[in-house]
Amino acid sequence: MALVGAVNLFLFVVLLLSSCQGRENWVKSRYPFIKRASSFYRDGHEREGGYDYIIVGGGTAGCPLAATLSQNFSVLLLERGGVPFTNANVSFLRNFHIGLADTSPTSASQFFASTDGVINSRARVLGGGSAINAGFYTRASVRFINKVGWDEKLVNESYSWVEKQIVHRPNLADWQNAFTQSLLDVGISPFNGFTYDHLYGTKVGGTIFDSSGRRHTTAELLASGNPDKLTVLVHATVQRLIFDTTDGKKPKAIGVVFKDETGNEHKVLLSSNSESEVILSSGAIGTPQMLLLSGIGPRPDLEKWNISMVLDNEFVGKDMADNPMNAIFVPSNRPVQQSLIQAVGITKLGVYIESSSGFGQSDESIHCHHGLMSAEIGQLSTIPPKQRTPEAIQAYIKTKRDLPHEAFKGGFVLGKIANPISKGQLSLINTNVDDNPAVTFNYFHHPYDLHRCVEGVRMLTKIVDSKYFTNFTQCDEETLERLLNISVKANINLIPKHSNDTKSLEQFCKDSVITIWHYHGGCLVDKVVSHDLKVLGVTRLRIVDGSTLSKSPGTNPQATVMMMGRYMGLKILMDRLGKKSGMSEA
């Protein structure tokens, strides 16, 4: 028996290694332009005469943007993280929560906590947020597109370009089906079926997870680029932008300075063509941080850190917003298949309702270190932040390892506030680009946001007690107080809890608020950028990402940010080349 076991183990290892080798070869053949940053000068990838476009950030918008621009121009895409293709925490739905909980320096997800005390994550991998999110894909409303001022026909073509390559129709999990029926049961109607469109009522949306549970990120959109004109460097951390201020006119972006994975610093320049640009696509945290580190921002902030001022702009890092979310835990007396977001209820109150199930139920995840992201150690949230010592955290982790499998049954119904009125700001804590800046979102600062949360929580509790959910979970209806009690423990943040959390819905909202990673703002139109997203007051610098948006599009923004990368790439090509671009159709 021992011999048979050894042989089986050997065969498994051989198959695993051959599978990994095959996937690595596939990656190299499909993406020959992706290189480690340290190979840039050594292997002669530096382009003589400079690049037409240098894109900082290979994320949700940066990848489709780079692929599109490379059809006609030389493009250098710089990404501080690694590739997603061989990262199991990124690639598989079952590891979604493990990827978020990984706080190691090489994690695809970089942990940060806002000053409000809400735990959050920002992407650090090629593919950006599409590599670490819950995968739900749904378009923005037509009203949103018109208000932003985008061309509706080109927008729809750009959405379709993304959808044909990486978006799938989900196989609706049993949990999601019960959730969908519960939404309709409490009056969130009509049922709009499967659709990408943003429609009032209940609907099933798309997903970037395929039927086998494998994630497809925007990094795969790079395969649509021109390999002869596209260079992608991973582990390339941009330190600052380079400006020419010698002519006495507007500062002109001419290049960037980046560090490779060995710590060596390099300078790369744009071509001399006046239409060449540096484009920031580093997201709502990274882009305003990069502007500040490069000398564009409020004068007092720059002077505080002895940063040479290129342009005084008081609005950089301002108007930051995050869509606050609160969750109600749904207990179950039966095993629950893991599912992420597949359906949504869109209410006219401005509350979006989604659900997930089976969090952390796989064998490997039960024994994995989830850190503060673990719903199972919610008791930690009752300890004041200053008392959350490493020893206390380790004690809870140890307790978690001994939890029985049954502790992982159930799921959550999530309520997100659309278009929060409450705004915050971002500021530097030092001049190290690797460190997170200080971010404040001021959750529920405006009373109307809090009012909507209260009404949303009331809807959530009705959904949990719907006959469709109780029949599925084989649980009796719960009292409101008990639901709030178990939910306030399960929602992890760094906000001290109050004794009246189960008595006051207002207090419950404030104390159990969490994020759904939909933060935006910091570089808004008419304040930091023009309507074509060029940075005001300088030349040859543009921003294409969610930092320019005053509202998060749709119920979940990734579809629109992906589309935005493609759309802006097409607009830039058409503005620069006209009919010669050959890109008038997406």
Side-chain angles (χ1 to χ4, degrees):
M1 290 296 290
L3 179 61
V4 172
V7 170
N8 287 339
L9 178 61
F10 172 76
L11 291 174
F12 172 76
V13 171
V14 169
L15 287 171
L16 181 63
L17 289 175
S18 62
S19 174
C20 291
Q21 186 67 40
R23 185 156 182 81
E24 287 180 4
N25 290 336
W26 170 79
V27 170
K28 289 178 181 177
S29 64
R30 197 171 189 212
Y31 309 96
F33 42 77
I34 300 178
K35 309 287 183 181
R36 281 184 170 266
S38 59
S39 71
F40 189 52
Y41 295 98
R42 184 184 68 235
D43 296 348
H45 301 300
E46 166 69 328
R47 191 177 188 90
E48 186 176 350
Y51 288 86
D52 295 309
Y53 294 96
I54 299 173
I55 301 174
V56 181
T60 316
C63 287
L65 175 65
T68 303
L69 291 176
S70 72
Q71 296 299 322
N72 296 81
F73 295 100
S74 61
V75 176
L76 175 63
L77 177 62
L78 299 172
E79 167 53 46
R80 66 187 184 131
V83 295
F85 310 114
T86 55
N87 185 333
N89 283 355
V90 166
S91 297
F92 302 107
L93 182 149
R94 66 177 180 268
N95 292 339
F96 162 70
H97 53 285
I98 300 176
L100 287 175
D102 182 1
T103 56
S104 69
T106 58
S107 171
S109 172
Q110 183 178 3
F111 164 90
F112 77 94
S114 69
T115 63
D116 316 274
V118 173
I119 293 170
N120 217 317
S121 297
R122 52 189 292 221
R124 184 170 46 196
V125 62
L126 192 67
S130 70
I132 65 171
N133 65 20
F136 194 53
Y137 181 97
T138 177
R139 295 182 176 190
S141 67
V142 174
R143 180 182 178 185
F144 177 93
I145 299 302
N146 292 336
K147 190 168 183 178
V148 174
W150 290 335
D151 180 285
E152 190 174 339
K153 180 175 182 292
L154 190 60
V155 162
N156 289 332
E157 291 171 348
S158 299
Y159 274 127
S160 295
W161 180 84
V162 172
E163 290 154 8
K164 289 174 183 176
Q165 297 181 73
I166 63 170
V167 186
H168 305 266
R169 180 172 182 165
N171 296 323
L172 206 62
D174 290 342
W175 178 278
Q176 297 292 330
N177 186 57
F179 167 65
T180 301
Q181 295 299 322
S182 297
L183 287 171
L184 296 170
D185 190 42
V186 301
I188 303 174
S189 58
F191 180 57
N192 296 303
F194 169 73
T195 178
Y196 295 141
D197 292 338
H198 185 91
L199 303 170
Y200 287 119
T202 294
K203 70 167 218 172
V204 175
T207 178
I208 57 174
F209 289 102
D210 63 24
S211 59
S212 65
R214 181 177 288 277
R215 182 192 296 270
H216 297 268
T217 75
T218 57
E220 295 181 27
L221 299 177
L222 292 169
S224 298
N226 181 346
D228 296 326
K229 292 183 178 293
L230 177 60
T231 301
V232 179
L233 296 186
V234 292
H235 305 295
T237 305
V238 174
Q239 306 295 301
R240 61 189 179 279
L241 312 181
I242 307 171
F243 293 93
D244 180 0
T245 59
T246 58
D247 62 3
K249 298 179 182 178
K250 286 184 178 180
K252 177 173 67 174
I254 60 172
V256 305
V257 173
F258 72 89
K259 280 186 179 179
D260 62 31
E261 73 275 13
T262 68
N264 290 324
E265 196 169 275
H266 311 281
K267 180 170 72 172
V268 61
L269 299 175
L270 289 171
S271 74
S272 58
N273 191 299
S274 62
E275 293 186 279
S276 296
E277 291 179 326
V278 173
I279 303 178
L280 292 177
S281 294
S282 301
I285 306 297
T287 288
Q289 180 187 27
M290 182 54 59
L291 287 181
L292 292 167
L293 291 173
S294 303
I296 298 179
R299 182 187 296 270
D301 291 8
L302 302 179
E303 290 178 344
K304 177 180 179 180
W305 299 107
N306 295 318
I307 298 172
S308 298
M309 191 175 70
V310 173
L311 180 71
D312 181 8
N313 185 325
E314 64 178 309
F315 298 112
V316 174
K318 302 300 189 295
D319 298 300
M320 296 290 296
D322 187 23
N323 296 78
M325 185 174 76
N326 296 81
I328 298 294
F329 181 71
V330 186
S332 176
N333 284 329
R334 60 188 290 184
V336 177
Q337 174 191 0
Q338 185 184 21
S339 72
L340 298 179
I341 313 302
Q342 294 182 326
V344 61
I346 301 175
T347 73
K348 294 186 177 181
L349 178 65
V351 177
Y352 302 145
I353 303 174
E354 300 167 345
S355 188
S356 64
S357 66
F359 179 84
Q361 73 172 14
S362 63
D363 289 340
E364 64 268 33
S365 69
I366 288 175
H367 298 285
C368 175
H369 170 10
H370 294 175
L372 283 173
M373 301 302 294
S374 302
E376 310 87 62
I377 58 171
Q379 303 96 314
L380 199 61
S381 64
T382 63
I383 300 176
K386 291 183 180 179
Q387 296 178 28
R388 292 177 190 140
T389 64
E391 291 78 15
I393 293 171
Q394 288 304 316
Y396 279 113
I397 292 167
K398 182 180 184 302
T399 303
K400 172 185 172 299
R401 289 196 185 102
D402 299 328
L403 285 174
H405 190 279
E406 289 73 19
F408 295 83
K409 293 179 180 178
F412 290 88
V413 177
L414 319 168
K416 165 192 163 183
I417 304 303
N419 307 326
I421 302 172
S422 307
K423 305 290 182 182
Q425 63 280 328
L426 174 151
S427 60
L428 299 178
I429 62 168
N430 57 35
T431 56
N432 185 352
V433 70
D434 294 318
D435 293 339
N436 293 307
V439 187
T440 303
F441 293 117
N442 287 324
Y443 296 104
F444 303 128
H445 183 73
H446 194 282
Y448 185 59
D449 292 342
L450 186 59
H451 165 73
R452 286 187 291 167
C453 178
V454 168
E455 294 303 311
V457 170
R458 289 194 175 112
M459 282 191 280
L460 299 186
T461 57
K462 290 179 182 178
I463 291 167
V464 173
D465 280 339
S466 162
K467 63 182 179 181
Y468 295 98
F469 249 143
T470 55
N471 288 343
F472 176 77
T473 61
Q474 298 175 357
C475 290
D476 295 330
E477 288 188 19
E478 297 281 2
T479 66
L480 176 60
E481 184 171 352
R482 173 167 158 72
L483 280 176
L484 295 181
N485 184 53
I486 59 178
S487 298
V488 80
K489 289 180 179 178
N491 293 324
I492 303 297
N493 60 33
L494 305 180
I495 301 171
K497 304 301 179 277
H498 293 78
S499 59
N500 64 334
D501 281 330
T502 61
K503 306 293 185 184
S504 164
L505 290 184
E506 287 83 0
Q507 197 66 54
F508 175 84
C509 284
K510 292 177 182 178
D511 288 358
S512 68
V513 63
I514 52 178
T515 185
I516 196 166
W517 312 290
H518 295 170
Y519 46 83
H520 51 281
C523 298
L524 295 189
V525 173
D526 289 333
K527 293 184 176 180
V528 178
V529 296
S530 62
H531 284 262
D532 54 4
L533 305 186
K534 294 181 179 180
V535 177
L536 300 169
V538 300
T539 61
R540 303 212 302 178
L541 179 60
R542 197 186 299 247
I543 297 173
V544 179
D545 61 30
S547 70
T548 65
L549 301 177
S550 61
K551 296 180 179 178
S552 180
T555 62
N556 302 66
Q558 78 159 339
T560 302
V561 179
M562 291 175 181
M563 177 279 295
M564 183 184 190
R566 173 66 173 178
Y567 176 90
M568 287 306 302
L570 292 174
K571 288 287 289 182
I572 290 170
L573 291 180
M574 289 188 283
D575 289 347
R576 189 165 176 177
L577 297 174
K579 293 182 179 179
K580 295 183 197 176
S581 70
M583 303 293 287
S584 57
E585 294 187 4

